[in-house]
Amino acid sequence: MGCCSSAAHSSRREWKPLEDRRCTDIPWLLLFILFCVGMGFICGFSIATGAAARLISGYDSYGNICGQKNVKVDGIVNSGLDLTQKKYVFFLDPCNVDLVHRKIKSIALCVAACPRKELKTLADVQKFAETNGSNLCSYELLSSKYTTDSQASKLCPKLPVPESAPIPFFHRCAPVNISCYAKFAEALITFVSDSSVLHRLISGVMTSKEIIMGLCLLSLVLSMILMVIIRYISRVLVWILTILVVLGSLGGTGVLWWLYAKQTKFINETLTADQLQVAKDNLQALLVYAISATVFTVILFLIMLIMRKRVALTIALFHVAGKVFIHLPLLVFQPFWTFFALILFWSYWIMVLFFLGTTGSPVLNEQGFVEFQVLGPLRYMWWYHVVGLIWISEFILACQQMTVAGAVVTYYFTREKRNLPFTPILASVNRLVCYHLGTVAKGSFIITLVKIPRMILMYIHSQLKGKENACARCMLKACICCLWCLEKCLTYLNQNAYTATAINSTNFCTSAKDAFVILVENALRVAAINTVGDFMLFLGKVLIVCSTGLAGVMLLNYQRDYTVWVLPLIIICLFAFLVAHCFLSIYEMVVDVLFLCFAIDTKYNDGSPGREFYMDKILMEFVENSRKSMKEAGRGGGAEGRELKPMASGASSS
C-alpha cells in the first residue's frame, strides 16, 4: 500500500524515529529467498552431473576423468579408460589459446606426472615416458614408437615441451615459464597491435612487482591514517585537505615536468637499441602524465575557487560525522566485512561458473573431441547465474548501507549519547536481519533491473565495435550513459530510502517517497552541503592517489632495470583509488545519512519545549548562523540566504 498512498498523506504523517519496529516488504524477502534457492539448485545440479569431479580432477579430450576408472561412452573412441594412475591433465600445446570459445585449443591427455624440465626432442619425450612412466603422446601411440612413427609429430606434444608443474588442487600441468602466460595476455588484450609493446609492459610489471605491492600497502596505510584524521580533527580537515591537495597538485605537476626534462637529457646519452626504445616510451608516458597533471591542477583550482564560500557548511557536517566515528568506531571496519562477504560470494559464484562450464552430456565437436554441453531449457542457467551475481552483490552492498544508516540514525536520534546501545552497529544489524531484509532485497533488485540492460548494451557495443555506423554507435553510447545516470540516481535515492526505513520502519516505496519529498524540499541544501562534502571526500581520494602515484614515479625512476612505467603506475593508482574509495565511501555514507536526519529534524522540530532538536550543538549553531545569513542576504537580495534558509517554518505547517 505504500506505493499507492499520496505524497500529501506522507507529508502529514509524523515521523517517530526508532519508536516502532515492524517487518517491511516481506513478499520481496520471500522472492529473494526463492531466487537464492534457485542459485543453490544450479550449484547442486552442476555437482550432481559430475561437473565437480571434472573441474577438480580434470578430464581429457575423450571425456575421461583423470585419476579414476571411467565408463565407456558409445561412439567416442578412447573413452572408458582406466586412468587411476594418471592423475594430471597435460595439454599438447598449452599456449594455444582460443579466446573466442574461452579454452585452450589443444588435445588434453591424462598423464602420471608433469614434465619437470624442458623436453626439446621426441627422444627426450620418449626417455621421460620410460623413466617416469608418464606418456605425453596420445593414448594409441606406444612410447617405443615416439621417434619412429610417422604420426608422432601430430600425436605428440609441440616441441619443445615447456617445464611444467601441477596446479594445486586442480591437477593441471601448467607451464612454469612466464613467457607462456604472456601469450595468454596477448590473446586477451586485443587492443595491442604490437606484441613487443605488450611484452615490455608485462616485463615492467614483473620487474616492479615488489614496488607495486609495497605501494598498494602504502595506499592502505594512508587511507587508514586519513580515517583517523577524519575522526579526531574534523574541524580542520577541510583546510588540511585543501592545502595538501594544492601542494600535492603543484608538487606532482612540477616533479613530472622535472622528470620529463631529466629523461630528455638521458635519451641523448649512449644507449643500446632496446634501452633507447624503453627510454622513448618512458619519455612519452611522462609527457602525457605531465600535461594531464597540469590540466587537472587548473580545473581543481577553478572548482575550489567556486566552492570556497561553502567551506563552513562542510566543516559543520564533517564535525558531527567525526563524532559519529568516535561513538561508533566499528564503522571504520565496515568495508572489511562487506569486502569479505563479497569475496566469499564471488568465490562461490566463480566456482559454480566453472562447474557450469564442465557440466552436461558428452558430445563430439568438429575436431572429434568431447565437449560437455547442457541441452534443453537448462542451458539458460547461465543467465540466471549472471543475474544472481548482480542481484546478490547489490544485496550485500545494500545491507552495508542499511547497517550504516541504522547505526547513524540511532546515534542522531538518541538525545543522551550515553544511553546509546553498547554496540549500535550490531543493534543495526539485528534490526536489519529481523525486520528489513525485504526492503534491502527490493532496493537491490531495482538497481539490478537497471544494471542488466546497461551491461547488455555494453556487450552489444563491444561486439559491434568497428561494424556499426556512426548513428548506431552514438545511440548505443547515449543509452548506456542514460542508464548509468539512472543507476546513480536510483542508488542515491535507495540509500536515503534505507535511512527513512531505519528511522520509521516503513516499506521501501513509502520510505523512498518520504526521502524524495525531503530531498526535493531541500534541493539547494543537497547541492550546497551534500555535494560539497562529497567533493571534499573526493579530494581525500585524490590526495591518496597522488601521494601513492608520486611515490611510484620516484621509485620507478630510480629503478635501474629498464622497464616501461605505464602499466605498473596504472595498477598502483587504480588500487590506491579503490582502497581510498572503500574507506571514504563509509564516511560519505555517514554524511548523507546525517544530512537527511538533519533535514527531518529541522522540519518537524523548532527547538521549542516539546519539540526540541535532536541535532548536535554545532549543527544548532549552524542553524542560527543560517538564520543570520538569511536575514543579511534577504536585505541584500542574494541567493545565498535562500540556500541557507532553515526549515523550522516547515514544522509549523505540518
Side-chain angles (χ1 to χ4, degrees):
M1 294 298 292
C3 292
C4 302
S5 58
S6 64
H9 174 74
S10 175
S11 63
R12 290 194 302 269
R13 179 176 55 77
E14 184 177 359
W15 290 65
K16 297 180 179 180
L18 306 174
E19 292 185 13
D20 185 25
R21 285 291 135 192
R22 59 181 181 274
C23 295
T24 56
D25 297 297
I26 296 177
W28 281 93
L29 176 59
L30 297 177
L31 178 63
F32 182 74
I33 292 174
L34 288 176
F35 184 86
C36 292
V37 170
M39 293 284 289
F41 168 79
I42 292 176
C43 179
F45 171 80
S46 60
I47 293 176
T49 54
R54 286 193 289 269
L55 175 65
I56 297 174
S57 299
Y59 62 96
D60 63 14
S61 296
Y62 309 101
N64 299 299
I65 299 177
C66 299
Q68 69 180 47
K69 189 174 182 179
N70 297 273
V71 179
K72 177 69 177 179
V73 179
D74 294 336
I76 299 178
V77 297
N78 290 330
S79 64
L81 300 178
D82 183 1
L83 302 175
T84 307
Q85 303 301 322
K86 299 181 178 182
K87 300 181 180 181
Y88 302 101
V89 180
F90 175 77
F91 297 95
L92 300 190
D93 189 4
C95 295
N96 187 7
V97 180
D98 184 356
L99 186 60
V100 176
H101 298 92
R102 300 178 298 276
K103 61 182 181 181
I104 298 177
K105 195 175 181 181
S106 169
I107 298 177
L109 302 174
C110 294
V111 299
C114 301
R116 290 305 186 123
K117 63 179 182 179
E118 186 180 52
L119 307 177
K120 299 181 179 180
T121 64
L122 287 177
D124 293 337
V125 176
Q126 184 178 28
K127 183 179 180 181
F128 178 79
E130 294 172 351
T131 304
N132 299 278
S134 183
N135 298 338
L136 303 183
C137 296
S138 187
Y139 299 132
E140 62 266 25
L141 185 62
L142 299 176
S143 59
S144 59
K145 298 182 179 180
Y146 282 4
T147 56
T148 57
D149 196 292
S150 58
Q151 298 294 320
S153 59
K154 297 180 180 179
L155 300 178
C156 289
K158 181 180 179 181
L159 298 175
V161 179
E163 177 186 357
S164 302
I167 300 176
F169 307 111
F170 287 98
H171 302 90
R172 269 79 168 176
C173 296
V176 176
N177 193 340
I178 194 173
S179 64
C180 187
Y181 298 112
K183 294 182 179 180
F184 276 93
E186 289 176 22
L188 292 172
I189 306 175
T190 56
F191 61 86
V192 178
S193 57
D194 185 4
S195 61
S196 62
V197 174
L198 182 61
H199 278 293
R200 290 200 301 273
L201 290 176
I202 295 175
S203 174
V205 172
M206 296 309 300
T207 305
S208 312
K209 58 183 181 294
E210 292 85 4
I211 295 177
I212 294 175
M213 295 176 63
L215 291 175
C216 289
L217 181 61
L218 174 64
S219 66
L220 180 62
V221 173
L222 290 177
S223 299
M224 295 293 291
I225 292 175
L226 188 57
M227 290 297 294
V228 173
I229 292 175
I230 290 174
R231 176 177 173 179
Y232 289 106
I233 55 172
S234 58
R235 279 185 176 273
V236 297
L237 172 65
V238 175
W239 299 113
I240 290 176
L241 282 176
T242 302
I243 294 172
L244 288 179
V245 169
V246 168
L247 295 178
S249 300
L250 290 175
T253 303
V255 167
L256 286 172
W257 282 113
W258 173 73
L259 290 175
Y260 174 75
K262 184 178 179 181
Q263 190 74 7
T264 304
K265 295 181 180 179
F266 178 71
I267 290 181
N268 296 327
E269 299 177 2
T270 304
L271 299 174
T272 64
D274 292 339
Q275 293 174 348
L276 181 62
Q277 182 61 44
V278 171
K280 288 182 178 179
D281 291 338
N282 287 335
L283 181 66
Q284 186 177 4
L286 279 173
L287 180 61
V288 173
Y289 293 152
I291 294 175
S292 301
T294 303
V295 173
F296 175 79
T297 302
V298 172
I299 295 175
L300 187 64
F301 283 171
L302 292 176
I303 294 176
M304 294 176 67
L305 185 65
I306 296 172
M307 295 268 186
R308 72 187 188 281
K309 293 183 179 180
R310 296 176 173 85
V311 171
L313 309 180
T314 306
I315 291 176
L317 204 56
F318 271 43
H319 179 76
V320 180
K323 285 189 174 182
V324 171
F325 280 94
I326 292 175
H327 286 87
L328 311 177
L330 291 180
L331 278 177
V332 178
F333 300 99
Q334 196 61 39
F336 289 107
W337 309 125
T338 303
F339 183 72
F340 180 69
L342 286 173
I343 288 296
L344 285 181
F345 170 67
W346 289 342
S347 300
Y348 163 81
W349 189 88
I350 292 173
M351 179 189 69
V352 177
L353 182 68
F354 286 147
F355 285 169
L356 289 175
T358 56
T359 193
S361 304
V363 295
L364 289 175
N365 59 17
E366 297 177 354
Q367 289 77 30
F369 300 118
V370 171
E371 290 182 353
F372 292 91
Q373 298 180 359
V374 179
L375 305 177
L378 292 177
R379 66 178 180 271
Y380 297 109
M381 290 188 299
W382 288 89
W383 291 103
Y384 191 98
H385 196 57
V386 171
V387 173
L389 171 67
I390 302 173
W391 191 3
I392 297 178
S393 297
E394 290 297 327
F395 178 84
I396 295 172
L397 293 173
C399 285
Q400 172 183 267
Q401 294 174 352
M402 179 69 86
T403 300
V404 173
V408 176
V409 164
T410 300
Y411 170 83
Y412 189 95
F413 289 106
T414 301
R415 296 187 187 278
E416 295 293 333
K417 305 307 179 187
R418 60 176 174 267
N419 295 331
L420 283 169
F422 179 69
T423 52
I425 293 288
L426 295 181
S428 178
V429 171
N430 180 64
R431 289 198 299 269
L432 167 65
V433 174
C434 294
Y435 300 106
H436 304 312
L437 284 178
T439 299
V440 171
K442 186 174 184 178
S444 57
F445 180 76
I446 292 174
I447 301 298
T448 303
L449 286 181
V450 180
K451 275 184 175 290
I452 291 176
R454 184 166 67 89
M455 294 178 65
I456 293 175
L457 289 178
M458 291 175 64
Y459 176 76
I460 294 174
H461 181 263
S462 64
Q463 293 298 310
L464 297 179
K465 193 172 183 179
K467 300 178 182 178
E468 78 279 16
N469 55 42
C471 181
R473 182 169 59 252
C474 181
M475 290 290 292
L476 275 175
K477 290 183 177 179
C479 291
I480 292 172
C481 181
C482 290
L483 288 173
W484 181 84
C485 294
L486 177 61
E487 179 187 333
K488 294 301 178 183
C489 292
L490 288 176
T491 300
Y492 181 73
L493 182 60
N494 278 10
Q495 181 177 321
N496 286 279
Y498 299 147
T499 304
T501 297
I503 295 173
N504 256 11
S505 193
T506 50
N507 61 40
F508 179 82
C509 288
T510 302
S511 299
K513 178 181 55 185
D514 293 343
F516 182 75
V517 170
I518 294 293
L519 292 175
V520 169
E521 290 176 352
N522 301 275
L524 293 179
R525 281 194 168 185
V526 172
I529 299 176
N530 200 27
T531 305
V532 173
D534 293 346
F535 175 72
M536 297 311 299
L537 292 176
F538 170 74
L539 290 183
K541 299 174 187 178
V542 170
L543 175 63
I544 293 174
V545 173
C546 289
S547 301
T548 309
L550 182 60
V553 170
M554 299 301 294
L555 290 175
L556 291 172
N557 179 60
Y558 289 101
Q559 180 176 292
R560 295 308 175 188
D561 296 319
Y562 292 99
T563 58
V564 179
W565 299 354
V566 178
L567 196 54
L569 205 57
I570 289 176
I571 293 174
I572 291 167
C573 291
L574 286 178
F575 186 85
F577 181 82
L578 177 63
V579 171
H581 176 74
C582 288
F583 280 92
L584 296 182
S585 62
I586 296 296
Y587 199 88
E588 183 178 343
M589 209 177 299
V590 171
V591 171
D592 290 339
V593 175
L594 283 174
F595 177 74
L596 188 64
C597 294
F598 172 73
I600 294 169
D601 192 14
T602 52
K603 179 175 181 178
Y604 291 97
N605 300 299
D606 57 7
S608 60
R611 301 177 67 178
E612 294 86 357
F613 288 123
Y614 288 94
M615 67 183 68
D616 190 87
K617 289 183 179 179
I618 191 170
L619 285 178
M620 290 184 184
E621 295 175 2
F622 167 69
V623 170
E624 293 300 324
N625 294 334
S626 299
R627 289 171 178 170
K628 294 178 182 178
S629 300
M630 178 194 65
K631 293 178 181 179
E632 295 175 0
R635 290 194 297 267
E640 188 73 19
R642 294 194 299 272
E643 182 177 288
L644 299 176
K645 182 179 180 180
M647 294 168 286
S649 60
S652 60
S653 62
S654 59

